[in-house]
Amino acid sequence: MARRRERRVEPRQDRRRQRVGDSTPEDKLSDSGSSDRKLIIIFVVFFIVIPAVSVLVYSIKYGSSEKRPEPVVIERGLIKSDISFNEILHTHSKVEENPTRHYDYPVLAYITPWNSRGYEMAKRFNSKFTHLSPVWYDLKSQGGSLILEGRHNADKEWLLELRVEGEALVLPRVVLEAFPQELLKKKEQWDKAIDLIVTECKEMEYDGIVLESWSRWAAYGILHDPEMRNLALKFVKELGHALHSARSTWNPKQQLQLVYVIGPPYSENLQQHDIRPEELQSLSAAVDGFSLMTYDFSPHNDPGPNAPLSWIRSTLKLLLGPPGPKAARLAPKIFLGINFFGNDFVLTAGGSGGGAIIGRDYLSLLEKHKPIFQWERNSGEHLFFYSDDKDYRHAVFYPTLMSISLRLEEARSWGTGISIWEIGQGLDHFFDLL
C-alpha cells in the first residue's frame, strides 16, 4: 500500500514543479503551506486514525477471547536437545488438565484397530484434532465384482462419544486393494466402487473417507502407463466429486470430504511412481486434503532417522514447488506426516534387523537400560544405544518433544496441516504440542 501511495503523490509534485515558474511568491508560500497541511492530514489518517480504528474493531470482535496459552511442555522447559531418560519417565504422563489446541492448521490423526490406546487418545484429546481416521476398510475384488470390507471394525459407541465430546470429522481410511486393470477400465466396477464408498459414508454417518490407492497402484506397476495413470487420476476426481455431492448427517451444511494418501519421494528427483506437483494441482478441486507420509525414511536394514528434517523440507519443495500463489493455494491441503512411533535397529551382525517401537516398549527400554540420549542435528532427531540380553547392539530412534516441535514449526512455516501415524503409539505429553 505504501508504494501505491508514493506513485500517486509523485505526479502531483511534478505538476507543481512545472507551474512554479508562473507563480508569485505568495502563491509559492500558499502552495507550500497547503502541501504541508495535506501531508500532515495524510500522515494522521494513515498512521494514527486507521490503526486506531483497526485496534478498536479487533478489540470489539476478539476482546472477549483470551490469548491462547503456550503448551505446558514449553512452560516446563521440556523442549530441548539435552534430555535424559529420567526426565522422560517422570514427565511423559503429565499433560494439560484442559486440553486446548495450539496448532492452528488442520490435524489428522490415524487410529488402528490393533492398538486400542488410539481410541482412548482420540476421546481424551478430541479437541486437538480436526480429522480422525480409523483404519477400518479395504475395497477388494471378489470374482467379477467388488466388496467393501471393514464395517465389523467400526465402533459405533466410540463414534457417538466422539460426536458428543468434540467436533473432529470422522473419515475412516479405505485402502483400494481391487485389481486396477478391472476397476479403472470397467465402467461398471468404477461406478460400483464409488457407490460402495458413498453409501457406506451415508449409512454409517461418516464425514467422508481417507483413500489410500496410489501406493497400491504403484505396486501393480500401472503408474508407468500414461493411459492407466490418467484413469487413476480421473477415478480419484470422480470419487471426490461424488462425496462432495453428499452431505454429512451430523452437519448438513458440510459436504462429505476426501483426503488422499500420497507417498513422499525418496530422492532429489521425482521417480516415475511418485505423484507430481501438477497432478496434485489437478486433483486439488476434488480432494480436500493430501495425507503425505513423511516417515519410514530408514528401512530396517539401513539404520537411521525416521524422518530427517532436511528430507521433509525437500519433499515439500518438490511437491509444492517454489514459493508463490500456486504453492500457497495447495499448502493448506497438505497434511504433513508426523510419526508417533520409532524404530529399534539391531546393529550387530546376525541380528534380526530390528523393527518399529511404540510408546510402552520405548518406556520399558528407558527403565531397563537407562540410556544416554544423543541429539542428531542433521536429522533433527534424538537417538540412543543399548545392548540387549544377547549382547546385540541396538540404536533407537523415537520421537521426542524437541523433534516433534521442529516438525510442527516446519509445517507451520509452509502453512500445512499435519497427519499423525498413529496416536496410540505416542507418549501422552506429545499431545500438549498440538
Side-chain angles (χ1 to χ4, degrees), residues 62-76:
Y62 300 105
S64 60
S65 300
E66 295 181 2
K67 183 181 178 181
R68 190 173 291 178
E70 283 190 334
V72 170
V73 288
I74 292 180
E75 295 176 3
R76 294 173 180 166

Side-chain angles (χ1 to χ4, degrees), residues 254-361:
Q254 173 74 55
Q255 61 188 18
L256 298 184
Q257 294 193 4
L258 173 62
V259 172
Y260 193 56
V261 178
I262 55 174
Y266 285 90
S267 62
E268 293 182 0
N269 300 309
L270 293 172
Q271 303 300 305
Q272 207 162 14
H273 61 268
D274 291 325
I275 197 161
R276 301 163 189 155
E278 62 270 21
E279 291 170 333
L280 290 181
Q281 293 286 352
S282 73
L283 291 174
S284 62
V287 173
D288 300 282
F290 296 96
S291 182
L292 177 58
M293 299 187 292
T294 37
Y295 34 77
D296 284 332
F297 177 81
S298 300
H300 293 156
N301 60 354
D302 187 14
N306 296 307
L309 198 57
S310 58
W311 171 62
I312 290 174
R313 192 173 294 127
S314 64
T315 295
L316 289 171
K317 287 180 181 177
L318 272 175
L319 295 178
L320 294 178
K326 285 186 178 180
R329 285 195 297 270
L330 189 58
K333 289 196 172 186
I334 298 291
F335 292 86
L336 182 70
I338 294 180
N339 54 292
F340 270 18
F341 66 91
N343 278 302
D344 182 351
F345 297 101
V346 179
L347 305 179
T348 306
S352 63
I357 183 172
I358 62 176
R360 61 173 179 267
D361 302 321

Side-chain angles (χ1 to χ4, degrees), residues 194-396:
I194 293 175
D195 181 65
L196 282 171
I197 291 171
V198 175
T199 299
E200 187 72 3
C201 287
K202 291 178 178 178
E203 291 182 358
M204 296 297 290
E205 300 182 343
Y206 300 140
D207 299 299
I209 67 158
V210 172
L211 179 69
E212 183 170 349
S213 67
W214 197 263
S215 62
R216 299 306 192 268
W217 290 336
Y220 276 106
I222 69 161
L223 298 177
H224 295 72
D225 181 339
E227 180 190 0
M228 291 298 292
R229 193 178 184 111
N230 286 332
L231 286 173
L233 292 167
K234 186 179 179 183
F235 174 82
V236 176
K237 291 177 186 177
E238 285 203 14
L239 175 60
H241 292 316
L243 287 165
H244 290 169
S245 67
R247 297 285 167 176
S248 167
T249 302
W250 286 90
N251 183 4
K253 294 182 179 180
Q254 173 74 55
Q255 61 188 18
L256 298 184
Q257 294 193 4
L258 173 62
V259 172
Y260 193 56
V261 178
I262 55 174
Y266 285 90
S267 62
E268 293 182 0
N269 300 309
L270 293 172
Q271 303 300 305
Q272 207 162 14
H273 61 268
D274 291 325
I275 197 161
R276 301 163 189 155
E278 62 270 21
E279 291 170 333
L280 290 181
Q281 293 286 352
S282 73
L283 291 174
S284 62
V287 173
D288 300 282
F290 296 96
S291 182
L292 177 58
M293 299 187 292
T294 37
Y295 34 77
D296 284 332
F297 177 81
S298 300
H300 293 156
N301 60 354
D302 187 14
N306 296 307
L309 198 57
S310 58
W311 171 62
I312 290 174
R313 192 173 294 127
S314 64
T315 295
L316 289 171
K317 287 180 181 177
L318 272 175
L319 295 178
L320 294 178
K326 285 186 178 180
R329 285 195 297 270
L330 189 58
K333 289 196 172 186
I334 298 291
F335 292 86
L336 182 70
I338 294 180
N339 54 292
F340 270 18
F341 66 91
N343 278 302
D344 182 351
F345 297 101
V346 179
L347 305 179
T348 306
S352 63
I357 183 172
I358 62 176
R360 61 173 179 267
D361 302 321
Y362 171 75
L363 294 174
S364 296
L365 287 178
L366 298 187
E367 290 176 346
K368 182 177 181 179
H369 298 284
K370 300 176 173 52
I372 297 174
F373 280 89
Q374 297 181 24
W375 174 248
E376 193 175 71
R377 183 176 295 179
N378 290 336
S379 66
E381 295 190 23
H382 280 102
L383 76 152
F384 65 80
F385 299 94
Y386 76 94
S387 296
D388 64 21
D389 296 336
K390 295 181 180 180
D391 208 27
Y392 286 169
R393 192 70 172 158
H394 292 242
V396 175

Side-chain angles (χ1 to χ4, degrees), residues 96-233:
E96 297 171 332
E97 292 183 8
N98 299 302
T100 56
R101 285 197 70 196
H102 301 291
Y103 190 72
D104 297 326
Y105 296 99
V107 177
L108 165 66
Y110 286 101
I111 302 103
T112 56
W114 53 86
N115 186 357
S116 61
R117 188 170 182 274
Y119 291 96
E120 298 168 15
M121 297 297 101
K123 290 192 296 182
R124 183 179 176 189
F125 298 103
N126 192 303
S127 61
K128 299 282 188 176
F129 314 118
T130 56
H131 301 70
L132 291 167
S133 184
V135 178
W136 284 344
Y137 289 93
D138 296 286
L139 185 65
K140 298 180 176 180
S141 297
Q142 187 178 67
S145 188
L146 297 169
I147 57 168
L148 183 62
E149 290 186 348
R151 185 179 284 198
H152 65 279
N153 289 319
D155 187 332
K156 290 188 175 181
E157 184 178 342
W158 176 74
L159 288 169
L160 183 58
E161 288 183 65
L162 290 178
R163 302 294 192 185
V164 171
E165 294 178 11
E167 299 178 355
L169 303 179
V170 178
L171 287 73
R173 190 189 71 171
V174 177
V175 178
L176 211 56
E177 301 280 9
F179 301 131
Q181 291 285 355
E182 296 181 6
L183 172 67
L184 298 177
K185 284 196 168 183
K186 294 182 179 179
K187 186 68 165 60
E188 182 181 345
Q189 287 213 9
W190 179 300
D191 293 340
K192 176 74 171 177
I194 293 175
D195 181 65
L196 282 171
I197 291 171
V198 175
T199 299
E200 187 72 3
C201 287
K202 291 178 178 178
E203 291 182 358
M204 296 297 290
E205 300 182 343
Y206 300 140
D207 299 299
I209 67 158
V210 172
L211 179 69
E212 183 170 349
S213 67
W214 197 263
S215 62
R216 299 306 192 268
W217 290 336
Y220 276 106
I222 69 161
L223 298 177
H224 295 72
D225 181 339
E227 180 190 0
M228 291 298 292
R229 193 178 184 111
N230 286 332
L231 286 173
L233 292 167

